[in-house]
Amino acid sequence: MTIAFADAAPAAERPAAPALDGLPLTVGLSAREVLVVGAGPVSVRRAETFLEAGAVVRVVAPRVDPAMADLAARAGAQLVVVARNFRASDLDTPWMVHVATGDPEVDAEVAALCEQRRIWCVAAGDAALGSVRVPARTAVATPAGLVRIAVDSSDPRRSVRVGRHVARSLATAPAGLRARRRPEAGWLVLVGGCGDGDLLTVRARRFIHAADVLVVDGAADPGLLAEIDDDVEVIEVGSTLPADAVARVVAARCAAGHGVVRIVAADTLADRARDLRATGLEFEIVPGVIDGGA
């Protein structure tokens, strides 16, 4: 028996990753001042975002949208509205600035001053003017706790759609099980379709990506193993290893509180299920697809 961790596919086999034009960060704004220049609908939405993050928001604008005035009334001292034009001195205290005045010249002036003073700036009207962008955000509860999802792209509406798709995927998958390594949390799933990753079902992939330990035959698809996290233990068992020995390995990992997936070729699924039943282990079977052209 050999134990190995899955390596990523060789660089020559992987498509080149697109260059990133920024570094995604989570910014702590609790009790820190954020200046919002402009008080239209976009600024209202962003002010709500900053308030949710715990920031103290100051809004500067000659004309104030009624929705902003309503938000200020509800937020109390956490949001202050100053009804006048922007002044350079407004940049003396904030940690971050959001500008959306509807006037490109004013937006450019505010962004340029922020750059000079090394203050993070979000320019809603022209993202290229600013130094940071606010991504589309959502969150989903998993067994391991809340997962926050942020998506940034050239199309804000597409970012929202992608974020929702990821959230739905996490909500329906056994995500987070790998964070629950307690004796009573051990589980076992037998998956068919080991030889060809394309023949795995969606449900099978969800369990594989939630597992702490993968026990695989030597015929496992290398591309499938390259998808999993680096800290997942991969136990490769050859055809010469007795079935009872494999079952003991699986039982030991389950008893230690790990999520275990035993993946085999689809046409051997029934035999491997019989081997595991002989040990008295409880497990779920996720059938694979038998390649009729093989």
Side-chain angles (χ1 to χ4, degrees):
M1 176 181 69
T2 60
I3 299 178
F5 287 88
D7 294 324
E13 299 178 9
R14 298 196 305 269
L20 298 178
D21 62 351
L23 177 65
L25 297 172
T26 297
V27 180
L29 293 177
S30 180
R32 291 172 174 161
E33 181 183 327
V34 174
L35 173 67
V36 175
V37 183
V42 173
S43 294
V44 173
R45 293 195 298 272
R46 290 292 170 78
E48 290 175 334
T49 298
F50 299 140
L51 290 172
E52 291 171 1
V56 176
V57 180
R58 184 160 56 93
V59 179
V60 174
R63 293 176 298 279
V64 179
D65 190 289
M68 182 69 83
D70 179 67
L71 180 61
R74 290 185 280 113
Q78 196 177 351
L79 190 153
V80 176
V81 177
V82 181
R84 59 165 171 76
N85 290 323
F86 166 79
R87 301 171 183 169
S89 59
D90 289 324
L91 300 180
D92 290 346
T93 54
W95 288 69
M96 189 165 75
V97 173
H98 178 278
V99 57
T101 65
D103 185 330
E105 292 186 3
V106 174
D107 287 1
E109 176 191 1
V110 173
L113 288 172
C114 287
E115 183 68 18
Q116 292 175 13
R117 299 194 183 196
R118 299 183 179 180
I119 301 172
W120 296 122
C121 177
V122 181
D126 183 353
L129 293 175
S131 50
V132 294
R133 296 189 297 266
V134 179
R137 302 170 305 117
T138 187
V140 62
T142 74
L146 189 68
V147 175
R148 295 175 178 83
I149 302 164
V151 181
D152 182 33
S153 74
S154 58
D155 182 348
R157 293 182 179 179
R158 180 171 182 267
S159 296
V160 171
R161 292 196 299 270
V162 170
R164 289 173 178 169
H165 172 75
V166 173
R168 286 194 299 268
S169 298
L170 285 175
T172 57
L177 290 177
R178 296 185 55 237
R180 299 169 56 194
R181 296 193 172 189
R182 301 190 301 272
E184 66 272 23
W187 52 269
L188 171 62
V189 173
L190 178 62
V191 168
C194 177
D196 187 344
D198 291 337
L199 300 181
L200 288 171
T201 64
V202 173
R203 182 169 179 78
R205 284 187 179 276
R206 287 173 178 167
F207 277 115
I208 288 169
H209 285 281
D212 303 305
V213 182
L214 298 181
V215 181
V216 302
D217 291 341
D221 185 346
L224 171 65
L225 299 183
E227 295 178 3
I228 65 173
D229 292 340
D230 292 338
D231 59 345
V232 174
E233 183 183 17
V234 179
I235 303 177
E236 299 177 357
V237 294
S239 58
T240 59
L241 191 67
D244 59 344
V246 176
R248 285 196 298 271
V249 171
V250 171
R253 296 302 192 275
C254 290
H258 300 300
V260 181
V261 171
R262 172 79 168 103
I263 48 181
V264 300
D267 56 0
T268 65
L269 184 64
D271 293 336
R272 300 293 81 81
R274 184 174 58 252
D275 297 338
L276 289 176
R277 288 194 185 98
T279 68
L281 289 171
E282 295 184 0
F283 57 93
E284 178 177 344
I285 298 177
V286 180
V289 178
I290 298 178
D291 186 359

